[in-house]
């Protein structure tokens, strides 16, 4: 069975940094898109970043572009999200996601993803 496990969340002051990790297991992931989404209380789940199986093509929400960096490790079974210059607006639960197929209709749409981690909380104070 496919399993995604996020880690690295925590509390940080505004302007600080955190590095999130998503460890994937249950199948080879080298050919799959991997995405990060976040959801704050009372708000809709929103796209943050995604990375192609090649590890060379990435996508970012406008709100995080230039501050966040998504990457994959050498084995391409772990995905990272480096988060810099954090603000209070970044406070949310962060979720790693993967589709069932190597083909995906829209990398920005959470409905395109079938497997989700349990989430890791990021809280930014000022």
């Amino acid at each position: 069975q496919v399993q995604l496990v996020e880690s690295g969340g925590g509390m940080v002051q505004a302007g600080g940094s955190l590095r999130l990790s998503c460890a994937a297991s249950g199948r080879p992931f080298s050919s799959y898109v991997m995405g990060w989404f976040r959801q704050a209380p009372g708000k809709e789940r929103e796209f943050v970043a995604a990375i192609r199986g090649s590890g060379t093509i990435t996508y970012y929400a406008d709100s995080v572009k230039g501050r966040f960096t998504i990457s994959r490790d050498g084995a391409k079974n772990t995905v990272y999200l480096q988060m810099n210059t954090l603000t209070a607006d970044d406070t949310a639960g962060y979720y790693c996601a993967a589709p069932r197929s190597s083909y995906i209709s829209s990398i920005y749409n959470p409905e395109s993803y079938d497997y989700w981690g349990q989430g890791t909380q990021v809280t930014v104070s000022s």
Side-chain angles (χ1 to χ4, degrees):
Q1 296 293 321
V2 172
Q3 184 176 18
L4 306 176
V5 180
E6 303 98 333
S7 62
M11 183 175 293
V12 64
Q13 292 185 354
S17 299
L18 285 173
R19 187 191 189 216
L20 306 183
S21 299
C22 173
S25 63
R27 71 177 185 188
F29 280 84
S30 61
S31 63
Y32 291 84
V33 170
M34 299 290 290
W36 284 99
F37 293 79
R38 66 187 182 187
Q39 186 168 19
K43 294 185 176 294
E44 297 292 325
R45 180 172 42 183
E46 66 173 343
F47 171 81
V48 176
I51 186 168
R52 291 283 182 181
S54 66
T56 60
I57 303 174
T58 58
Y59 310 83
Y60 297 95
D62 289 340
S63 60
V64 307
K65 192 174 299 181
R67 299 188 298 119
F68 292 8
T69 302
I70 188 171
S71 61
R72 311 181 76 127
D73 72 358
K76 298 186 177 181
N77 63 349
T78 300
V79 181
Y80 305 96
L81 185 68
Q82 180 66 47
M83 310 163 66
N84 298 326
T85 57
L86 287 161
T87 74
D89 290 338
D90 297 314
T91 296
Y94 283 72
Y95 299 85
C96 181
R100 182 180 300 142
S101 173
S102 60
Y103 296 96
I104 187 168
S105 59
S106 174
I107 60 171
Y108 306 102
N109 190 343
E111 295 182 1
S112 297
Y113 297 81
D114 303 288
Y115 306 109
W116 295 83
Q118 83 289 346
T120 185
Q121 179 66 35
V122 172
T123 302
V124 184
S125 62
S126 61

